[in-house]
């Protein structure tokens, strides 16, 4: 418990209604149920807020990267099924079993540890078997898939509830990679059917796969009769672009996060006055400079200096000079700012809007990295759903 309330007028507002609506739109686009990915603190939005909002929007599953993240959801009283996206260490098995998390599996030692735990408790542990169809990160490569399936079929302590794979280039619909991955998936599903395994779930698509390849994913999934399709969507739940050629807004997804602060200090400076560390920027004319109490320690990319904007009074004001750890400066030109004026760093103010995609472009990265880079110091405030 912090000894003082949040005194700095800087916060990230998270719109739970937008998250819920995005989940419903993704489910409609997929023609499938939604597993909402809330790893990395809900892509920086707050994992518990995001999880509750996603469930309210109709998600039937949640997914996390770490057992620790699953424990955080359970601590908050969330009872929905939670998928672990990769295998943790074998030492984590008793914890994930105790928390009733559903593990993704692909390695023999991990399956053996789960089998032992399931036999010990007298009830098999539901697992999702992951085939690596081309991501080459985790999952059993096609050559090892039959061996994994044989091990699972022979393990009374586990039951194969789901089968999954992960797409590497779904955000680039013009390359053939996704089609090749789906071909390998279809081969892998044949091996599942041949062993008489009867998983009830199949999940393949991330956000880009859901928005750009829904038909192909559905067609491949039909090769596992009896398995309902699920999509593992993260970035789209938060209304952000998955990058590449896929645009969230074109699919009706809404950004759920706004970053708001207020002018903390204002002054008039003369043309040519150099500003901030390194004096990398100088005033182009006589005019007004506003100080805003947010910096790169909160997750504002340092690269916005001289490249990005923030909104004051519904107008874009360029970020003047180097973004510092705790503060940044805005060039307001002739418009005199007043201490306390609202500053919108991300999101809408009046008719103007700044998207996280702008920050990502300025920083030469992707929305995922910007969102998960928002600092723990930035208070996340859940706001009432609009509309
Ligand atoms: C993070 C992750 C997702 C979600 O991807 P988005 O592009 O954010 O939709 C889905 N599946 C796996 C295995 C992941 O690691």
């Amino acid at each position: 418990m912090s000894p003082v309330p949040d005194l700095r007028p800087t916060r990230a507002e998270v719109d739970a209604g937008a998250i819920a609506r995005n989940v419903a739109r993704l489910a409609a686009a997929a023609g499938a149920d939604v597993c909402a990915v809330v790893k990395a603190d809900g892509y920086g939005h707050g994992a518990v807020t995001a999880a509750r909002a996603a469930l309210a929007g109709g998600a039937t599953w949640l997914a996390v990267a770490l057992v620790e993240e699953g424990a955080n959801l359970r601590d908050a009283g969330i009872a929905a099924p939670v998928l672990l996206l990769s295998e943790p260490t074998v030492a984590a098995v008793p914890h994930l079993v105790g928390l009733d998390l559903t593990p993704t599996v692909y390695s023999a030692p991990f399956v053996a540890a789960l089998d032992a735990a399931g036999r010990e408790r007298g009830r098999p542990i539901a697992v999702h078997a992951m085939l690596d169809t081309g991501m080459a990160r985790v999952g059993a490569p096609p050559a090892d898939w039959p061996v994994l399936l044989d091990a699972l079929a022979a393990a009374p302590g586990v039951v194969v509830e789901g089968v999954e794979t992960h797409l590497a280039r779904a955000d680039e619909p013009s390359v053939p990679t996704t089609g090749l991955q789906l071909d390998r998936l279809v081969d892998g599903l044949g091996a599942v059917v041949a062993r008489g395994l009867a998983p009830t779930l199949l999940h393949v698509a991330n956000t880009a796969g859901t928005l750009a390849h829904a038909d192909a994913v559905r067609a491949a999934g039909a090769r596992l009769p009896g398995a309902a399709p699920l999509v593992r969507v993260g970035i789209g739940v938060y209304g952000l672009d998955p990058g590449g050629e896929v645009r969230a807004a074109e699919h009706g997804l809404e950004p759920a996060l706004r970053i708001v602060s207020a002018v903390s200090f204002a002054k008039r400076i003369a043309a040519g006055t150099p500003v901030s560390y390194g004096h990398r920027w100088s005033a182009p004319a006589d005019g007004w400079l506003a100080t805003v109490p947010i910096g790169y320690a909160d997750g504002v990319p340092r690269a916005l200096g001289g490249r990005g904007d923030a909104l004051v009074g519904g107008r874009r004001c360029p970020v003047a000079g180097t973004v510092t750890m705790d503060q940044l400066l805005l060039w307001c030109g002739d418009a005199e700012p007043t201490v306390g004026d609202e500053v919108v760093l991300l999101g809408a103010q009046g008719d103007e809007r700044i998207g996280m995609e702008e920050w990502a472009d300025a920083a030469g990265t992707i929305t995922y990295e910007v969102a998960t880079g928002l600092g723990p110091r930035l208070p996340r405030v859940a706001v009432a759903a609009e509309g």
Side-chain angles (χ1 to χ4, degrees):
M1 191 68 176
S2 163
V4 292
D6 289 321
L7 300 170
R8 182 174 65 147
T10 302
R11 64 196 181 274
E13 297 176 349
V14 178
D15 181 349
I19 290 175
R21 291 188 291 276
N22 289 338
V23 166
R25 288 187 189 109
L26 287 160
D33 282 341
V34 164
C35 172
V37 181
V38 298
K39 61 190 175 183
D41 198 26
Y43 289 48
H45 292 60
V48 171
T49 302
R52 290 198 179 119
L55 294 169
T60 55
W61 278 75
L62 302 169
V64 293
L66 310 182
V67 174
E68 294 86 332
E69 293 173 332
N72 178 45
L73 298 178
R74 294 291 185 239
D75 281 350
I78 293 169
V82 174
L83 177 73
L84 269 181
L85 293 166
S86 302
E87 291 182 357
T89 62
V90 164
V93 164
H95 299 283
L96 76 87
V97 172
L99 292 162
D100 195 23
L101 308 179
T102 303
T104 289
V105 301
Y106 40 82
S107 83
F110 189 65
V111 168
L114 287 170
D115 180 33
R119 280 186 284 159
E120 194 180 305
R121 78 169 185 183
R123 190 160 48 89
I125 294 162
V127 302
H128 292 204
M130 185 185 240
L131 172 65
D132 174 15
T133 57
M135 176 71 180
R137 181 175 62 175
V138 292
D144 299 340
W145 183 240
V147 182
L148 175 69
L149 295 178
D150 287 341
L152 290 167
V158 299
V159 58
V160 181
E161 176 188 53
V163 170
E164 62 183 298
T165 192
H166 191 46
L167 303 174
R169 301 185 71 178
D171 59 335
E172 300 168 274
S174 52
V175 302
T177 309
T178 300
L180 293 170
Q181 287 198 251
L182 293 175
D183 290 346
R184 290 185 196 122
L185 174 67
V186 166
D187 290 345
L189 296 179
V192 174
V193 173
R195 279 163 184 75
L197 295 167
T200 55
L201 292 168
L202 174 66
H203 42 102
V204 174
N206 53 7
T207 298
T210 299
L211 298 177
H213 303 277
D215 292 343
V217 168
R218 221 179 291 120
R223 307 293 282 271
L224 189 61
L230 196 62
V231 290
R232 295 186 315 271
V233 285
I235 203 78
V237 166
Y238 309 99
L240 301 171
D241 283 358
E245 303 154 30
V246 183
R247 299 278 158 267
E250 287 171 15
H251 299 274
L253 303 175
E254 315 161 49
L257 187 129
R258 236 173 135 240
I259 297 182
V260 186
S261 186
V263 173
S264 60
F265 189 58
K267 63 188 157 309
R268 199 167 164 84
I269 56 174
T273 304
V275 161
S276 192
Y277 289 126
H279 282 178
R280 293 205 185 90
W281 182 94
S282 300
D286 293 356
W288 291 94
L289 191 68
T291 305
V292 186
I294 186 169
Y296 62 75
D298 300 296
V300 177
R302 196 165 165 275
L304 286 194
R307 232 169 296 173
D309 298 324
L311 305 177
V312 184
R315 287 177 49 245
R316 280 180 178 259
C317 298
V319 177
T322 309
V323 172
T324 74
M325 190 182 293
D326 314 305
Q327 303 180 85
L328 56 77
L329 298 154
L330 297 178
W331 174 244
C332 300
D334 290 333
E336 180 177 353
T338 303
V339 170
D341 283 352
E342 183 191 71
V343 178
V344 172
L345 293 120
L346 274 188
Q349 187 190 53
D351 297 333
E352 273 289 354
R353 188 184 160 273
I354 295 176
M356 200 179 283
E357 292 75 14
E358 282 186 41
W359 284 20
D361 288 347
T365 183
I366 55 174
T367 55
Y368 300 75
E369 192 181 20
V370 173
T372 59
L374 297 175
R377 192 174 75 174
L378 183 66
R380 311 305 203 270
V381 181
V383 295
E386 297 162 24

